[in-house]
Amino acid sequence: MASLSFYAVCPFGLEELLAGEIDACGGERIRPGKGGVSFGGTTVTAMSVCLHSRLASRVLMKVAQSSYWDTRDIYEFATNTPWERWFGPDATIKVSATTQRCPLESIDFAVLRIKDGICDRFRELAGRRPDVERYNPDVRIAAFLTYDTCTFYLDLAGEALFKRGWRLSHGEAPLKENLAAGLLMLSGWDASKPLVDPFCGSGTIDIEAAQMACNMAPGLNRQFAFEKLEGFDKADWEELKDDARAMINRHAKVTIIGSDISSLVVEKAEENARRAGLGNLIDDGRLVFRQGDAREALPPEGVEAGLMIANPPYGEQSNPKSASIRSMMKHVADNMKAHFAGWTAWMLTSDRMLPQQMRLKESRKTVLFNGPLECRFFRFDMVAGSNRRKPAAKAEAPAD
């Protein structure tokens, strides 16, 4: 198979981890950048990344690149690109564009000229043109415009890859699945370490952890845009899925406890987990969702050490509830000191003052983005009583 060029998009801060995933899928010429990773490989490589990557948001296949001066050049470029290699005039399409130092006055007009070029090519070749579909197209075409270069990509994902297929409401969780997976990887968590999430919400962190423990490919329960493109062999795709199913270990030994103060939210988290194929872990107690106040959370009985990973409410000044959130996080920290000695706690927040609010000293912090919000992923190494930084002892005068 010929080697093609691809670009995988991911949340800022997770590029090196994504590069590792792509390498495991057989990628070549892997180059992490800012917010994504470029790589080479075959269509099988790209399908494998779509199926197995927990961190990627999208996988784009590069189909053409050209220099340009104005939108007339972009139109000609779109007209001369052999789109018929990947789809026909009966497909519905959507064109989008991102830019970097692009001099054009109207990006929307450039997108329109790209659509015109694609449609005019099909009119010339087939006597009819693809329809434009805004919300659920068969084919998504992404243009990337720099100061003097235009690159066309085909989006192989369709819906963003963090949409695993188990969530009924896409608006119910502020934490995307691929960022949750990134938190778990950055923390060094694996199935041998008990996991507690006292702000579980819809269960995103806990479900990602359970699927990681069972080696469940995140893309097994959804469809992808490449399934409607020419050049992606169905037999290869079915073989990849069969291999992924065979690798699942539903008997993995793991302890994951998610809790939330709202019983309704906890019910939704458990429903989400069952739709994600984790019902057997819930039924035998390896994955537990329970109603509970984070200020009263306890580790599993008989467990001396583990990881707490959470995405607590953000107590920023712009938040009218910020004062109560800051007070709550102080009590959460007091409880952690009392009951989680020996544990490592990780908290994702856009509030840089969280360590001060909790009166804890972080041992590490990583900059991440939760959507548009710049966040910090703080690590706290818990010891009995407190892990606040102690003042330096006063030096004694030397003896005469």
Side-chain angles (χ1 to χ4, degrees):
M1 289 185 182
S3 182
L4 303 167
S5 295
F6 304 95
Y7 188 80
V9 182
C10 71
F12 175 83
L14 302 181
E15 298 89 352
E16 293 291 341
L17 290 171
L18 175 57
E21 287 190 325
I22 293 170
D23 182 59
C25 291
E28 305 166 348
R29 309 187 306 277
I30 301 168
R31 292 188 294 272
K34 186 176 181 180
V37 179
S38 63
F39 66 100
T42 65
T43 55
V44 173
T45 310
M47 290 189 290
S48 183
V49 173
C50 286
L51 177 62
H52 289 286
S53 175
R54 302 183 190 280
L55 303 175
S57 301
R58 296 194 175 276
V59 175
L60 308 175
M61 180 175 70
K62 181 179 177 181
V63 296
Q65 186 176 69
S66 177
S67 59
Y68 76 95
W69 177 257
D70 56 22
T71 53
R72 288 173 294 185
D73 296 329
I74 291 174
Y75 169 79
E76 291 295 331
F77 178 35
T79 304
N80 293 329
T81 300
W83 303 105
E84 64 277 5
R85 288 177 52 187
W86 302 287
F87 61 92
D90 295 325
T92 57
I93 65 171
K94 178 180 180 179
V95 180
S96 61
T98 55
T99 65
Q100 186 178 77
R101 297 177 58 240
C102 176
L104 298 177
E105 291 184 6
S106 173
I107 304 305
D108 289 341
F109 185 66
V111 167
L112 179 62
R113 296 305 283 152
I114 294 169
K115 292 177 187 174
D116 290 342
I118 295 169
C119 292
D120 288 349
R121 180 178 180 89
F122 276 107
R123 279 199 193 98
E124 183 70 23
L125 292 174
R128 63 190 190 279
R129 49 152 283 180
D131 289 331
V132 174
E133 167 58 48
R134 187 174 181 181
Y135 298 105
N136 190 29
D138 298 322
V139 180
R140 296 173 188 258
I141 298 146
F144 179 58
L145 298 165
T146 65
Y147 182 77
D148 60 357
T149 302
C150 178
T151 309
F152 292 146
Y153 295 89
L154 289 176
D155 185 341
L156 304 185
E159 279 204 307
L161 292 177
F162 59 78
K163 297 180 180 179
R164 314 293 202 210
W166 51 258
R167 194 186 299 281
L168 289 183
S169 171
H170 295 312
E172 70 183 52
L175 186 67
K176 291 182 173 63
E177 288 81 345
N178 58 343
L179 181 54
L183 302 184
L184 290 158
M185 293 182 192
L186 287 169
S187 74
W189 180 84
D190 61 48
S192 69
K193 303 169 185 173
L195 175 66
V196 170
D197 175 7
F199 296 95
C200 75
S202 58
T204 310
I205 292 173
D206 314 282
I207 292 170
E208 286 296 310
Q211 289 197 331
M212 288 169 63
C214 296
N215 202 26
M216 297 175 69
L220 266 177
N221 295 321
R222 54 160 287 165
Q223 293 182 319
F224 299 92
F226 66 72
E227 296 179 64
K228 296 182 179 180
L229 295 176
E230 299 294 329
F232 288 79
D233 189 271
K234 292 183 179 179
D236 288 337
W237 176 230
E238 291 302 323
E239 183 176 353
L240 283 172
K241 289 193 291 184
D242 287 343
D243 290 345
R245 292 188 187 101
M247 292 168 62
I248 295 174
N249 176 18
R250 298 189 182 278
H251 304 289
K253 294 182 179 179
V254 66
T255 300
I256 301 170
I257 300 174
S259 60
D260 197 279
I261 199 165
S262 167
S263 58
L264 291 176
V265 167
V266 170
E267 288 177 11
K268 286 185 178 180
E270 183 169 324
E271 290 169 4
N272 287 338
R274 291 188 181 278
R275 278 192 297 274
L278 300 168
N280 64 314
L281 274 73
I282 294 173
D283 293 338
D284 60 22
R286 287 175 288 165
L287 173 59
V288 176
F289 291 102
R290 60 170 67 130
Q291 189 277 331
D293 192 320
R295 292 166 290 191
E296 301 171 356
L298 295 173
E301 189 172 344
V303 174
E304 294 184 359
L307 264 67
M308 176 187 290
I309 303 177
N311 178 36
Y314 301 162
E316 298 169 299
Q317 293 299 327
S318 59
N319 186 336
K321 298 181 180 178
S322 60
S324 61
I325 291 173
R326 290 196 296 271
S327 174
M328 177 191 68
M329 293 309 298
K330 166 62 171 61
H331 291 299
V332 168
D334 290 343
N335 182 70
M336 289 162 57
K337 295 170 195 173
H339 299 290
F340 286 87
W343 282 60
T344 302
W346 295 79
M347 300 277 175
L348 179 71
T349 179
S350 65
D351 186 352
R352 301 184 189 186
M353 305 303 292
L354 179 69
Q356 293 183 30
Q357 295 164 17
M358 299 180 74
R359 299 183 186 177
L360 295 174
K361 174 60 181 175
E362 75 275 13
S363 59
R364 188 187 304 173
K365 60 183 176 183
T366 304
V367 178
L368 297 170
F369 278 81
N370 186 5
L373 285 177
E374 182 178 333
C375 296
R376 299 293 185 274
F377 191 38
F378 290 109
R379 169 177 167 164
F380 304 104
D381 299 312
M382 302 308 303
V383 296
S386 173
N387 69 346
R388 285 180 291 174
R389 179 180 291 167
K390 296 179 180 178
K394 293 182 180 179
E396 295 182 2
D400 291 334

